[in-house]
Amino acid sequence: MRETPTAVSGTWQSTLVVRSALDEGRTWVQVDIEHQPARDDTFPTPAKTPRLVRLLLDRLEARDHLADVTTTPAFVEAADVHDVIGELCDTRRRMPVVVATVPYGKDPEDWATSVVDPLFRSLHGLAVLYVLTPEAQSAFNRALEFHPVFGGGVRTYLPGMDPAWRPDAQRHPVMSRKTIESNRPKAAAVLASLPQRLALRQPLPSALLDVPRPRPRPRPTPDGADLAQLRTENKALTAVLDEAERAEALRVDELNELYAELAKSERSSNELRGENEELYDKVQESQRLVRFLRDRLDAVGEYAASHTQVSTPEISYPATFADLLERLDELPHVSFTGRHKVTQGLDSQSVDNWLRVAWDGLLALNQFAGASKEGTTTGDFLSWCKSEASAAFPFPAAKVAMRESDTVARHHKLRNERMLPVPQSVDPSGRVFMQAHLKIGGGNTIAPRLHFYDDTAHSGALCVGHLGPHLRNTLT
């Protein structure tokens, strides 16, 4: 069927091929859409999935070997996970399998209707479509340790998947929930691009190879020089495409390694949280023990000759981050210039030891700032944490970073996020690049950070410009 909507739009040709393969016991259906521009100097318009494909899939029991090919993504329950993984590993599969997940707390039906269906609309006939229910997601990710998907994200599993081989994960790209929700039409187009390219490059089954095809009207035959130029341009474009795909594969590799690590963190979040709290408590217990032993040595005269005995105050921790803000007047050497609302927001997502670590960090900063203004210590806060001077209010040096990476420092938007407020006595502009920070949670990009600026050597101020969620960097 050929259609010419307007004289300048060119001709659209739709080709439907139905071929029964008696030796295979099945019938093959192929739909091709081609655009022939009206002008020879115009590129063809990319084709969208035609309505004809949806009509056929709604009437036919279409399959890609083991998998059903439909226009509506099928919900995968926990009992179905084994069968779906069998489809993913099927060596005779031709199409990609696209699997969507449901964010925590969202109704699966509502999410599928409002988000997944529009996202998958351009994939009809190009991919097998699934939505994991929350119950199925855990079992699915346990079985596919190197190829997980979760949190409202979508993953495209290409043919030839090997679930037991970690490097294979780079072949199966992931789209995050954040990417989807930031621009849904663009996300749908990006998601469809890989299955579309695969459909163009996939060799036809033998049953369809010898079927004669109608062709659009021929273009004028180019002369020898034009033909040579076209061949040269085609070769150059092919090289550019190959290079772009290699670069894309490298980016996918990096993203999927990060995604796999996040999946492991999600699967064992309670365990990791417990380990983090236990490790932090052990550090604090060890430091209290060191102080106790030093006091005992002082008592027998073996330590007092060369060191000043340090008292060990009893620490009363705030009950919430809102309470922490109310108690900032207990820290006379620290000036909090951050947004209270951001800090209070940590109460809704706080891990048990975040509050303790934050208060310990503020107590340590307060003592350091006081000593620095008095001239009894030299060096920065990290050096102070490693010295004997921090014995009264210790803070783990491993949780202190005095600078950001060069990438963050040079990146305009990332640097601007760290331009945090300070008094004009510190900087007339009212803002400084506040790169020194304390790691309140673990080393990941979810745990909060406390950013500070030490100006005790000049104005006498130590400013805390941010206590809240991790600011953006190259991994977030």
Side-chain angles (χ1 to χ4, degrees), residues 101-104 111 137 141 149-154 175-178 259 266:
T101 57
V102 180
Y104 178 78
W111 183 259
Q137 179 179 302
N141 288 336
V149 59
F150 57 87
V154 175
M175 179 175 286
S176 69
R177 176 187 178 185
K178 182 178 180 180
Y259 206 81
E266 183 190 55

Side-chain angles (χ1 to χ4, degrees), residues 178-292:
K178 182 178 180 180
T179 299
I180 294 168
E181 293 188 326
S182 63
N183 189 330
R184 294 185 184 181
K186 181 179 179 181
V190 171
L191 189 65
S193 62
L194 182 57
Q196 287 168 348
R197 293 202 306 269
L198 185 65
L200 286 171
R201 298 180 181 186
Q202 184 83 283
L204 289 173
S206 57
L208 294 172
L209 285 175
D210 59 347
V211 177
R213 312 298 171 93
R215 296 295 178 190
R217 62 177 178 83
R219 293 173 179 265
T221 304
D223 57 26
D226 290 340
L227 187 60
Q229 182 180 356
L230 287 172
R231 286 174 176 167
T232 301
E233 291 175 353
N234 182 63
K235 185 177 180 180
L237 288 171
T238 301
V240 171
L241 178 61
D242 290 342
E243 179 63 27
E245 289 185 340
R246 283 193 293 270
E248 180 184 26
L250 291 175
R251 290 193 297 270
V252 168
D253 187 12
E254 295 172 358
L255 288 172
N256 280 288
E257 285 182 5
L258 291 172
Y259 206 81
E261 293 302 319
L262 288 173
K264 291 179 181 178
S265 299
E266 183 190 55
R267 290 195 300 272
S268 58
S269 60
N270 290 333
E271 179 183 346
L272 290 175
R273 179 180 300 175
E275 290 178 1
N276 184 41
E277 294 167 8
E278 183 180 354
L279 286 172
Y280 184 77
D281 289 342
K282 285 182 177 179
V283 169
Q284 296 295 80
E285 182 180 353
S286 298
Q287 291 172 331
R288 286 193 294 270
L289 179 60
V290 168
R291 294 199 302 272
F292 171 76

Side-chain angles (χ1 to χ4, degrees), residues 74-184:
F75 278 97
V76 178
E77 304 291 344
D80 305 323
V81 168
H82 179 76
D83 292 337
V84 171
I85 292 176
E87 295 174 11
L88 293 176
C89 300
D90 180 13
T91 57
R92 298 178 65 182
R93 174 165 67 92
R94 293 174 54 87
M95 290 182 174
V97 176
V98 183
V99 179
T101 57
V102 180
Y104 178 78
K106 295 288 185 179
D107 180 78
E109 292 283 353
D110 291 343
W111 183 259
T113 302
S114 61
V115 178
V116 178
D117 286 348
L119 189 67
F120 283 1
R121 187 163 181 81
S122 297
L123 294 173
H124 298 163
L126 295 172
V128 177
L129 310 175
Y130 288 122
V131 178
L132 288 176
T133 62
E135 296 77 15
Q137 179 179 302
S138 298
F140 185 89
N141 288 336
R142 281 196 302 269
L144 298 180
E145 180 182 0
F146 304 131
H147 303 71
V149 59
F150 57 87
V154 175
R155 191 158 197 169
T156 302
Y157 296 91
L158 299 180
M161 188 185 104
D162 184 352
W165 192 38
R166 182 191 290 271
D168 179 67
Q170 71 180 28
R171 297 179 51 246
H172 312 281
V174 176
M175 179 175 286
S176 69
R177 176 187 178 185
K178 182 178 180 180
T179 299
I180 294 168
E181 293 188 326
S182 63
N183 189 330
R184 294 185 184 181

Side-chain angles (χ1 to χ4, degrees), residues 430-444:
R431 291 186 178 273
V432 296
F433 179 41
M434 206 172 287
Q435 54 180 333
H437 59 274
L438 309 183
K439 303 171 186 177
I440 302 304
N444 57 53

Side-chain angles (χ1 to χ4, degrees), residues 24 29-31 54 60 71 104 113 136 149 179 242 257 260 280 307 348 357 376 378 444 476:
E24 297 179 9
V29 178
Q30 179 189 2
V31 177
R54 300 185 180 97
L60 303 175
T71 58
Y104 178 78
T113 302
V149 59
T179 299
D242 290 342
E257 285 182 5
Y280 184 77
H307 293 79
S348 64
V357 178
T376 58
T378 58
N444 57 53
T476 52

